[in-house]
Amino acid sequence: MFKINDNYLKLPGSYLFSNIGKKVNAFTSANPDKKIIRLGIGDVTLPLAPKVIDTLHSAVDEMGSAASFKGYAPDLGYEFLRQAIATNDYKARGVEIALDEIFISDGAKSDSGNIGDIFAVDNKIAVCDPVYPVYVDTNVMAGRTGEYNVETERWSNVIYMPCTEATGFAPELPSQTPDIIYLCFPNNPTGATLNKAELQKWVDYALKVGAVIVYDAAYEAYISEEDVPHTIYECEGAKECSIEIRSFSKNAGFTGTRLGFTVIPKELKSGDTMLNSLWARRHGTKFNGAPYIIQKAGEAIYTEEGKAQTRQQVEYYMNNAKIIRDGLAAAGYSVSGGVNAPYIWLKTPDKMTSWEFFDYLLNEANVVGTPGSGFGPSGEGYFRLTAFGTYENTLEAMERIKAL
Ligand code: MLT
């Protein structure tokens, strides 16, 4: 008789954004005349940049001719894309990353979920609280998190690092020693960042205790302040303790086309074993590559035209972020984020819980956001709005919220 992976049964409810989707669908069915503005999930609204579209068209044509047709992609991804990444994302920032330390994938969500495959089940993970739910849920699926306590909304075998107003929404070094530390900066959901000295403190700590940092840098393109590192490898010693995960979703609008990558330096070892070799084995066995046409489109964002066009998109969203920040502040909300990240983190008014505020905003302003408590218990009493809407909808949403 077969047995299921009953770790799945421990997961409370469904994935946060699926829950929100269901609630919003129920509201729209009951109120078909209402115009909903969605500032919930961090999904982009601008179309792909013209340079990306042109490249996609020509890559599709290549697939239609025997001479240029491509079948399976190379295990690690096409060299043209890995070279563009190594040059533009790393070398340009003074960091040497070899081409065989870069693994092209279908996105940061899958990589941050799958990376657990190369670690033993008895590793102890540390996460920020609030946190992008994928890090915790995938560790639950792997059986690494212990039991869930409904009262505290915490897993018995997870180290939580509260990121509160008191800490500037940054984590503090944990008192218990973790084996795997998940960090995401600029942060989803709070929009907070660490400066270089603060990130260096984490690298030093990981090296000292023998932990690995899984560093999710999906929002790197939104950094606007000088002293904020664009890659963890700007920190001394980071190659010996850090895996970095990147996405093309937020910097170039690939949420629907899917492309990302993970960097595992060869210096990162457990005993004599390189984590790079384990991930290469896993990647080669369980993944058959992002499509050629999408990898070509990814390469296009590193051309001069591609850079200029995607920069404009990021600026468009950051203008929305400013509209949200300023609008909420003018309406008397306590707000943070939105300066180095496309997320704005606000305190709910009148001591409403995050879900109460979600319902209030949906019912009274027909605006969808994300309840902070969905990201962890320290998110209770907070709410996230995304800057990824259209300019017009962002303005209208702010007018509606101000009028409440
Ligand atoms: C979010 O809204 O937190 C993100 O869109 C989720 C993701 O990128 O997977």
Side-chain angles (χ1 to χ4, degrees), residues 15 17 40-43 109 132 188 219 250 343 375 384:
Y15 184 55
F17 294 105
I41 190 163
D43 196 2
K109 180 181 183 178
Y132 179 45
N188 178 15
Y219 300 95
K250 319 290 172 167
Y343 296 124
F375 298 102
R384 192 193 79 177

Side-chain angles (χ1 to χ4, degrees), residues 159-216:
I159 300 169
Y160 290 88
M161 306 181 290
C163 300
T164 61
E165 208 172 343
T167 66
F169 301 105
E172 290 181 331
L173 296 178
S175 48
Q176 269 182 290
T177 306
D179 302 302
I180 304 171
I181 303 166
Y182 287 83
L183 294 178
C184 170
F185 290 103
N187 187 256
N188 178 15
T190 66
T193 42
L194 295 185
N195 66 28
K196 179 125 177 244
E198 288 164 341
L199 188 57
Q200 183 67 55
K201 195 180 69 180
W202 283 92
V203 169
D204 294 345
Y205 172 75
L207 289 171
K208 189 174 102 197
V209 302
V212 61
I213 297 175
V214 176
Y215 192 72
D216 182 346

